[in-house]
Amino acid sequence: MNRTIGEFRLLLQGVSPKWHHGFVYYVALTVLLLFSMDSQAHSWLDVTSLEVGSKSSGLNEIWHDPTGMSDISKAEAAYRNKYFLPLGSAGSTGIKPGAFWSYFVLKNSSTKPVDVSIEYVDNQLDGIQVYSRIREGMEPYTELVYLSTSQPFSTREIKHHRFAFSVEVPPFSSTEMMVKFDAGTLGVVYPNMRIWKPEQLMERSKAEAILTSFLFGGYFLMAILALIGAITMRENILYLYSVYSATKIWVWGSLLGYTHQYLIQDHFHWSYQSLSSAAVILTGILFARCFLETAKYTPRMDNFLKVMLFNGLFLIVCVAFQWEALAHLSMMLALFFYPGVVVVALVRWRQGNAAAAVFALAWLILVLGLLVQAMRDLGYVVHNPINYYWPPVASFVEMLAIMVAIGLMVQRLRKQKESAERKYLLHLEASRTDLEQQVQLRTQELEHAKTKAEREARTDPLTGIFNRRCFFEEASKQVKMAINNRIPLCVLMLDIDDFKSVNDVHGHLIGDQALCATARVISQHVRDVDIFGRIGGEEFALVLSADIEGAMAVANRIHRDIAKIVIKSAVGQAQFTASIGIANLQEREDILELIRRADAALYQAKRSGRNRIVECVEAT
């Protein structure tokens, strides 16, 4: 104040000397004194060029605008009407709608301008609007800067993951600051700002980036190791742990501001933070249910975890429909439910699951971190760098402890497996004699069953002839032998004409009898060296060790005998004919090509009117 009076006296030296002893001089001096006394009631902050973040704008003059729509003129009116009051909490406004305004004064007592960087202390904010002027009442406020998460990050003057801006305070001067903090529809505001030397803020930003890089690198390493373990061990719990670790990077990257700084630099939205929170809630509860096996051992408590899962899904719905207030309510509800998971884990520990105790400790560490954040948000705890990074560090320690719990669980499962193997070996040793006797008694039964199974595997169950697989195996051998020994060989492909009409008119039972009768008729013309099988629904194949003339003769006899088949049914007699395609073996031809040519001849017979025999003359 003495400096201000002295400056005023120097100012008066430039006017008429009679002012020094006159009435006006003393009136002016009195006004200056009153002004100085009033100024001392403000939030004065002496700033220098050596600020290291130890000073803050304070919480002495804060005004709550519930509508969030007031501009600087209304804020000035509120200040004149003394609506700016001390906050009355440890540092947070609590969860309230609208915006908050802060007033403070930066005073430079040096002979040079002072450049300082002013940093908002947290990330839970949609935007800030800063106004300034030199000396109270001498000139109107002008907008210094407007910062918002919806703006491109590249437009920020100071590249910092929290809101920060620069102010220059002239020498022997004071700069009044009005700052509007916008938390959106419903949110938490910390109307306090740290004051830094610009270079010191950048150093602090680098230090924080190193810390978060360590945390995120740890999360990433845990996620990768768990994923590798899941793939090699085929354990679903490790897949869930890997995804849970990955969502930790997402959620803390969003809440600490690094997602906006490095990934989504344009048009960042509050919903990204809510969506990442929903992801970490869902994956965390799914992991807890799987790890603690609540569905199997504690069904009632499993219902509690299902409610938490439903709340996580509801948070996603709130994000999808842009219900900001309900999204905040959903996240508060999730924080309220989180301690319940510790209770569930302790119950499982009491049931004999030792790994559940470590899990309970891990989750308790997370809950304590979230409790600190909740107490800070509600204004019961002072906001400082320690409790600012306490939640993400607690979350990191939680993941490390859970990894230990997983190790204990795997060890327990391994011991259970070894115990079961020992019991099994003892049981085998004790009953070895009895088993040997049983084996001897049942050896013949097994051999008989094996023979029967092999026969059934090779036989069509309806007609009793070779099935498709067995036919191709035997026919392939026959073809190779014929080529090696230069023996003539032919294939007959036979298909019952209009077999569908037999099923439709007389029923499927008569259709089955027709297939069996056809197989019996063909079998009468099959020698021991021939291969006969059913390869489709009403399609049969016959491999003959004969030239084309002999195969044609056999085909004519089969064709004639099939036409004589008569099957009685409830709607009359069922009679049918067959179409036959013949192909003879060519040099260097396998069974598939031979069958293909015989099948082509069969289809030619079908297209030519059915009930006939067609020979495939040339290989194609």
Side-chain angles (χ1 to χ4, degrees), residues 205-224:
S205 180
K206 291 178 182 178
E208 291 187 46
I210 292 173
L211 172 62
T212 51
S213 297
F214 173 79
L215 294 178
F216 293 167
Y219 285 133
F220 180 77
L221 183 60
M222 286 186 280
I224 293 299

Side-chain angles (χ1 to χ4, degrees), residues 427-445:
H427 176 72
L428 287 179
E429 185 67 24
S431 59
R432 183 176 59 183
T433 303
D434 183 56
L435 288 174
E436 288 176 352
Q437 293 176 355
Q438 293 182 19
V439 168
Q440 291 175 359
L441 291 175
R442 297 199 58 185
T443 299
Q444 293 181 349
E445 296 178 6

Side-chain angles (χ1 to χ4, degrees), residues 308-335:
M308 295 187 68
L309 288 175
F310 175 80
N311 182 57
L313 294 174
F314 177 71
L315 179 54
I316 295 178
V317 173
C318 293
V319 171
F321 289 95
Q322 301 294 298
W323 297 337
E324 186 175 358
L326 288 177
H328 283 289
L329 180 62
S330 176
M331 285 189 286
M332 290 174 58
L333 192 62
L335 293 176

Side-chain angles (χ1 to χ4, degrees), residues 39 80 125 158 199 212 232 337 379 407-408 443 461 492 560 601:
S39 298
R80 286 194 300 270
L125 198 66
I158 300 178
E199 296 82 2
T212 51
T232 56
F337 282 155
L408 291 176
T443 299
L492 276 64
R560 178 195 63 209

